[in-house]
Amino acid sequence: MLSLASLSVSAPASAAAALGPTASGYGGAISTVDATATAVGLDVLRRGGNAVDAAIAAAATLGVTEPFSAGIGGGGFFVYYDAKRRTVSTIDGRETGPASMTSTYFIDPADGLPYDFAEARVSGLSTGVPGTLATWQSAARMWGSRPLGNLLRPAASVADRGFVVDATFRQQVTDNAAAFGQFDATGELYLPGGAPPAVGTVLRNPDLADTYRLIAREGTGVFYRGPIARDIVRTVRQPPVSATPTSTWPYPIRPGRLTLDDLAGYRVNLPAPTRSDFRDLTVYGMSTPSSGGTAVGEALNIIERAGLSGGDVTQALHWYLEASALAFADRNRYVGADTPRAVLRKLISDSWAAQRACQISPARALVKPVPPGDINATGCTPSTVGGPTDQGKSTTNLTVADRWGNVVEYTLTIEQTGGNAMVVPGRGFLLNNELTDFNFTGTQGTAPDPNLPGPGKRPRSSMSPTIVLKHGKPFLALGSPGGATIITTVLQVLLNRVVLDMSLPQAMAAPRASQRNSAGIQAEPAFRTAYGPSLTPLGHTFAPDVAELGAATAIELTPYGGLIASAEPTRRGGGAAAVVHPR
Ligand code: GLU
């Protein structure tokens, strides 16, 4: 077996410099948000590794270079198309709450009110048992062709050697300086000399390199049951607040409740993917605890009923916005980690889409928020009022295809940019704040809220790694970060590519908007400028602009083995796409 330990670290580094947002060719492809991670994954593909090997090696590298969005302190969802078996499988590596968690976990006992989001975030309470390493281990065992240890070594080299700080990285530190300055281990790593690192400087993370190598040598047991587990539990239960903080933080930093047993008991789940049809496509997505698969599937089913053609952009966008709002109302009302399978199946059925689409008028936008549908009814009557939505902006996504036709779509996260702001001392990685993805209190009026905390429960996610087959063969794989906007970004890229007939790079670059069942559409300025004039007369209203939505990655598989790898041209500083044999 070829060893990646011998990987020349300078090869990916120089390759990284040349990578742009689009690449086409054959023999394997990868798209990530980061040039170093893409170069590492490409190197694995070139050396005969498969898509799963490359995805793990790239994800481990993102843990170094995109540490505020991803890493072994977090979780994620891995979707895999196996070319030999012609099946789509998923790994649910979502973070898990402590066994002692109850529905009032985020209620301050002192006053009976929910904690402020920022207070809950920067605390031990927000941290769930990380699932990322267990995801890599399971994927490597089930589908990879290299031991996990080999796949961690290129990332360890990047952590040792360091990487160049860019403007996005510096901005993420700047935005987090108040929280990071509370913890010595975080400050020493990311606030060198007490300030965010300058653009162009090299940042090294030798502790993380050692952590990766320890895991490579001894296996994931050191993380879930050994010395790293003890360090995680100590950090969560006794947050290592600095005696000499370099910042002020307006909240008490509360301890959490994770135990060694919680870590030792962590298991990934292997749920069947969600599956729905759109025209001649079969769309596979992530099931619960993600709401991504059902929400994307439901919205596509609703859009399909419009019988749109590529020529009418206004109607296509109108249906996209209406379908998103309806799907979000249903998601908020019905989807959480414990939602019965029968309900999930109903939400992505054509009969449900008919029941929901009947409310859409081509001439007039629905008043938002729209109520959810009544899961027990068959007619066009909605049920009680739904709740608000959530939004974050951390997370990262990557897409890989290999020469054998296997495809990986993988979204991983530590929740907010910077997670809970605590680097585990001596270990070099940040902890997640994923448990703040639970609703702190009920949001569904008199109806039960499917996303309240509970013992050992996984919080609802919006991550939507998606693999689309056409006539039974992989056609498109895509995903994005962006909290609840992930669902709409994935939908909109699909709409752009499949309904509006854009090329994949055009579909990725096009300006975005997100309607998550609130009064105003959240849109990038270019979207509102281009489409506001035709959508406003239909009754659509806009919230204040947001600078950007998402940071997607995608790969299209064209007939005869061609591959188009696509990343963001500009959002979040632009991503990096590569193919093994460029055309
Ligand atoms: N925690 C979010 C989720 O699982 C993702 C965070 C983000 O992308 O900002 O849906």
Side-chain angles (χ1 to χ4, degrees):
M1 181 180 294
L2 180 73
S3 165
L4 294 170
S6 60
L7 181 87
S8 139
V9 291
S10 56
S14 51
L19 297 173
T22 306
S24 58
Y26 57 100
I30 176 163
S31 177
T32 85
V33 302
D34 173 68
T36 307
T38 293
V40 164
L42 182 68
D43 197 63
V44 173
L45 292 172
R46 280 197 180 132
R47 288 161 179 264
N50 67 23
V52 172
D53 302 327
I56 295 168
T61 306
L62 289 169
V64 181
T65 58
E66 289 272 310
F68 311 129
S69 301
I72 55 176
F77 299 115
F78 194 103
V79 180
Y80 173 59
Y81 174 80
D82 186 302
K84 224 187 245 158
R85 296 195 198 94
R86 297 169 160 243
T87 50
V88 179
S89 308
T90 76
I91 301 175
D92 156 18
R94 186 69 162 165
E95 299 90 331
T96 300
S100 65
M101 189 169 63
T102 65
S103 62
T104 55
Y105 187 80
F106 285 113
I107 304 294
D108 186 347
D111 58 11
L113 297 172
Y115 297 119
D116 282 355
F117 182 84
E119 178 175 3
R121 176 204 160 194
V122 181
S123 79
L125 285 171
S126 65
T127 303
V129 181
T132 289
L133 199 57
T135 302
W136 298 348
Q137 175 71 291
S138 305
R141 275 206 188 127
M142 291 189 292
W143 310 310
S145 72
R146 308 274 191 275
L148 175 61
N150 286 18
L151 301 170
L152 297 179
R153 290 203 170 93
S157 300
V158 174
D160 265 337
R161 180 178 83 229
F163 61 94
V164 178
V165 169
D166 64 11
T168 306
F169 190 98
R170 181 183 155 81
Q171 188 60 46
Q172 290 176 333
V173 178
T174 306
D175 295 344
N176 271 295
F180 286 2
Q182 295 297 302
F183 307 100
D184 292 335
T186 315
E188 280 156 18
L189 191 53
Y190 296 124
L191 296 165
V199 172
T201 53
V202 172
L203 202 130
R204 296 187 175 81
N205 189 344
D207 285 348
L208 183 55
D210 288 345
T211 299
Y212 278 158
R213 277 189 293 255
L214 178 66
I215 297 165
R217 266 195 325 270
E218 303 200 6
T220 56
V222 292
F223 186 93
Y224 287 103
R225 291 179 298 279
I228 304 177
R230 290 194 285 279
D231 289 352
I232 292 172
V233 167
R234 189 179 317 113
T235 306
V236 165
R237 297 182 74 100
Q238 299 155 41
V241 182
S242 174
T244 52
T246 61
S247 63
T248 52
W249 182 249
Y251 301 102
I253 293 174
R254 296 174 187 275
R257 303 188 201 153
L258 280 187
T259 64
L260 288 171
D261 282 349
D262 289 324
L263 262 94
Y266 186 84
R267 300 286 179 272
V268 298
N269 294 321
L270 307 174
T274 61
R275 189 199 139 132
S276 56
D277 296 323
F278 184 79
R279 299 183 178 170
D280 58 350
L281 307 175
T282 313
V283 181
Y284 288 93
M286 194 64 218
S287 191
T288 49
S290 186
S291 58
T294 48
V296 169
E298 177 181 346
L300 284 173
N301 285 341
I302 294 172
I303 293 169
E304 190 174 16
R305 304 197 73 82
L308 297 164
S309 76
D312 195 341
V313 179
T314 304
Q315 275 304 307
L317 292 172
H318 173 65
W319 275 79
Y320 157 64
L321 296 167
E322 299 293 81
S324 303
L326 292 163
F328 260 95
D330 297 339
R331 165 214 190 248
N332 294 345
R333 172 71 181 79
Y334 296 113
V335 183
D338 303 327
T339 306
R341 295 276 132 197
V343 173
L344 298 176
R345 268 198 301 276
K346 176 141 191 190
L347 289 175
I348 50 170
S349 67
D350 287 332
S351 58
W352 183 258
Q355 199 174 324
R356 303 300 275 143
C358 64
Q359 296 173 48
I360 299 177
S361 151
R364 192 78 209 147
L366 292 159
V367 175
K368 317 290 187 311
V370 295
D374 182 345
I375 205 84
N376 297 310
T378 47
C380 200
T381 349
S383 126
T384 45
V385 174
T389 59
D390 36 15
Q391 198 213 350
K393 50 186 170 63
S394 182
T395 310
T396 192
N397 189 79
L398 61 97
T399 314
V400 191
D402 65 28
R403 68 172 95 152
W404 298 281
N406 303 304
V407 181
V408 172
E409 186 60 48
Y410 184 27
T411 315
L412 61 163
T413 184
I414 60 173
E415 215 302 280
Q416 291 288 294
T417 306
N420 85 341
M422 298 176 206
V423 167
V424 177
R427 303 297 183 183
F429 63 89
L430 281 157
L431 289 173
N432 70 82
N433 68 298
E434 213 72 48
L435 301 184
T436 59
D437 272 358
F438 283 114
N439 292 335
F440 292 9
T441 56
T443 62
Q444 299 301 305
T446 52
D449 188 312
N451 190 36
L452 287 176
K457 193 174 171 183
R458 300 183 180 197
R460 179 175 63 205
S461 172
S462 300
M463 295 189 284
S464 309
T466 304
I467 294 181
V468 181
L469 308 194
K470 189 186 230 163
H471 309 304
K473 292 206 179 110
F475 161 61
L476 190 60
L478 76 164
S480 178
T485 71
I486 293 171
I487 290 169
T488 54
T489 290
V490 166
L491 258 176
Q492 197 177 358
V493 174
L494 281 170
L495 182 91
N496 289 344
R497 175 68 192 88
V498 175
V499 175
L500 296 176
D501 234 2
M502 297 181 194
S503 70
L504 180 61
Q506 288 169 338
M508 294 276 284
R512 292 189 186 136
S514 181
Q515 170 49 279
R516 303 189 307 287
N517 199 22
S518 49
I521 298 164
Q522 220 175 29
E524 294 176 345
F527 183 95
R528 199 176 39 77
T529 307
Y531 305 112
S534 50
L535 290 169
T536 309
L538 295 178
H540 291 284
T541 56
F542 285 83
D545 289 347
V546 286
E548 56 183 49
L549 289 164
T553 71
I555 292 176
E556 181 168 332
L557 297 95
T558 62
Y560 313 112
L563 296 163
I564 302 166
S566 181
E568 297 287 355
T570 56
R571 294 182 185 93
R572 220 191 263 187
V579 291
V580 172
H581 299 297
R583 209 188 312 274

